[in-house]
Amino acid sequence: DTGVSQNPRHKITKRGQNVTFRCDPISEHNRLYWYRQTLGQGPEFLTYFQNEAQLEKSRLLSDRFSAERPKGSFSTLEIQRTEQGDSAMYLCASSLVSRDRVLETQYFGPGTRLLVL
Amino acid sequence: RKEVEQDPGPFNVPEGATVAFNCTYSNSASQSFFWYRQDCRKEPKLLMSVYSSGNEDGRFTAQLNRASQYISLLIRDSKLSDSATYLCVVNMIRAAGNKLTFGGGTRVLVKP
């Protein structure tokens, strides 16, 4: 399978614990995005990387959230001191940016579903 | 006002019928547009890009109206397997990088 993969697929944690999610993008893709999706809503942008550089962070990404992509390949998203409001599906997407940047298409992984008790 | 707005539905569609729904966007600088399909508890999957002249892919037709700032999706001869949430996505190219903004989705239920 050469698509985007995410691990774990499900995570149940207690409030106050730290959690870390991993995303492996499609191998030749240079951009990697993190989104959060809650029930009945579309995905909301959190942050993205171009290679290893984190270029943008949404204001949704509080200080408790941190993302890394140390070698420009896989990425991790860590949530510290989880809160019940963090319960959501965390989606990763990757893309290969063309020179004109108009036809960038993002491909999503299966997501990590987080439940904070 | 949300940047990208969709009627959440659900649109209850008899099998074999045609269904169409729109998505409106607020930023006139938006430059490319997509429809994604999302099944329950699954990830979004690209259905089709939307080109300025409108485009068709089998039973699916997408239209873009820049003047009125909306995108439409039409599904002909609906199949039971078309039941899903359809996400409208608007892309704005910026110096800081492309920004994809998703609508909340339109839920379609095709019934026998």
Side-chain angles (χ1 to χ4, degrees):
Chain A
D1 185 355
T2 57
V4 180
S5 63
Q6 291 186 247
N7 287 289
R9 295 290 303 277
H10 300 91
K11 179 70 177 178
I12 300 174
T13 191
K14 292 182 179 178
R15 190 175 53 188
Q17 297 294 305
N18 299 344
V19 294
T20 300
F21 310 141
R22 175 176 170 132
C23 170
D24 287 87
I26 294 171
S27 59
E28 66 269 22
H29 283 186
N30 52 4
R31 283 208 177 155
L32 187 149
Y33 297 78
W34 285 100
Y35 293 86
R36 181 175 70 186
Q37 186 176 25
T38 53
L39 198 62
Q41 303 296 316
E44 296 175 294
F45 169 79
L46 293 178
T47 188
Y48 91 96
F49 293 83
Q50 170 109 359
N51 300 312
E52 66 276 7
Q54 188 173 18
L55 295 187
E56 187 172 357
K57 293 191 286 187
S58 162
R59 62 180 180 275
L60 293 175
L61 212 67
S62 76
D63 291 345
R64 297 184 297 105
F65 288 70
S66 62
E68 294 183 341
R69 195 183 183 198
K71 297 181 180 179
S73 56
F74 73 90
S75 175
T76 57
L77 177 69
E78 181 183 16
I79 310 174
Q80 296 182 325
R81 304 180 304 280
T82 51
E83 301 173 356
Q84 288 182 323
D86 296 332
S87 296
M89 170 85 95
Y90 290 84
L91 291 161
C92 175
S94 72
S95 68
L96 179 63
V97 180
S98 62
R99 187 169 295 178
D100 63 12
R101 295 187 293 160
V102 173
L103 294 177
E104 177 185 3
T105 300
Q106 295 186 16
Y107 296 89
F108 284 82
T112 295
R113 190 171 295 277
L114 173 66
L115 177 61
V116 182
L117 301 175
Chain B
R1 183 187 174 188
K2 290 184 179 178
E3 289 187 59
V4 181
E5 292 200 75
Q6 296 184 247
D7 183 337
F11 284 64
N12 294 299
V13 184
E15 191 176 8
T18 295
V19 61
F21 41 89
N22 291 342
C23 160
T24 58
Y25 60 96
S26 60
N27 193 328
S28 59
S30 301
Q31 288 160 291
S32 58
F33 308 88
F34 306 88
W35 284 103
Y36 277 73
R37 170 197 169 124
Q38 187 171 29
D39 293 297
C40 188
R41 305 181 78 82
K42 301 282 189 179
E43 74 273 24
K45 292 187 177 178
L46 180 66
L47 179 66
M48 57 197 304
S49 303
V50 185
Y51 301 118
S52 56
S53 58
N55 48 302
E56 189 175 307
D57 183 1
R59 297 181 294 106
F60 297 83
T61 300
Q63 295 280 351
L64 168 62
N65 186 318
R66 284 190 186 273
S68 300
Q69 294 183 204
Y70 74 84
I71 311 140
S72 64
L73 182 66
L74 181 146
I75 307 173
R76 284 184 300 278
D77 186 23
S78 299
K79 312 291 184 190
L80 297 177
S81 58
D82 294 333
S83 296
T85 296
Y86 292 85
L87 298 166
C88 170
V89 186
V90 170
N91 182 27
M92 189 164 58
I93 297 173
R94 308 165 303 162
N98 291 2
K99 180 186 177 187
L100 285 190
T101 304
F102 286 76
T106 295
R107 192 170 169 216
V108 172
L109 295 173
V110 182
K111 299 187 175 180

